[in-house]
Amino acid sequence: MARIRVGLLPSTMFMVGTLPVPKIADQETGKIAQDRDTGEDLFTLTVFLMEDGRAEQMKLTVPKSGLPDGLNLGLPVRPTELFATPWARIFNGQLSDGIAYRAAALELVK
């Protein structure tokens, strides 16, 4: 699957919408998803991207080591090494598609 680096404007802002929770790889076993290269546990959270007078809700996956201490709802953050991966699958005969977002880390913005 092709990963696409996401370019951000200097004025782009992100705000934490939900706290990180473990990303589940297997719903039946509850196994936590892990990074393919490092084996590190992955977490997901919702952030709000604000740019050019608009806001979008974005689900973001980040490895545990990339989550800063003190992360709280409403805090401004900045993702580092943000990538988008388009995906599609057929489930029960219906096509689902979207974009998965992944960052190496989140930085607290002061």
Side-chain angles (χ1 to χ4, degrees), residues 21-36 40-44 61 89:
V21 295
K23 181 174 182 168
I24 304 300
D26 185 331
Q27 295 293 335
E28 290 181 20
T29 65
K31 182 179 181 330
I32 296 174
Q34 296 180 323
D35 183 279
R36 287 185 181 110
E40 188 174 0
D41 288 351
L42 298 174
F43 285 73
T44 60
T61 299
R89 70 172 173 245

Side-chain angles (χ1 to χ4, degrees), residues 39-75:
E40 188 174 0
D41 288 351
L42 298 174
F43 285 73
T44 60
L45 70 154
T46 299
V47 295
F48 294 101
L49 176 149
M50 292 163 281
E51 182 177 85
D52 288 338
R54 64 182 176 81
E56 282 185 38
Q57 180 177 321
M58 174 188 283
K59 186 175 176 181
L60 190 57
T61 299
V62 181
K64 184 175 174 75
S65 65
L67 297 171
D69 291 334
L71 196 62
N72 253 319
L73 298 177
L75 284 180

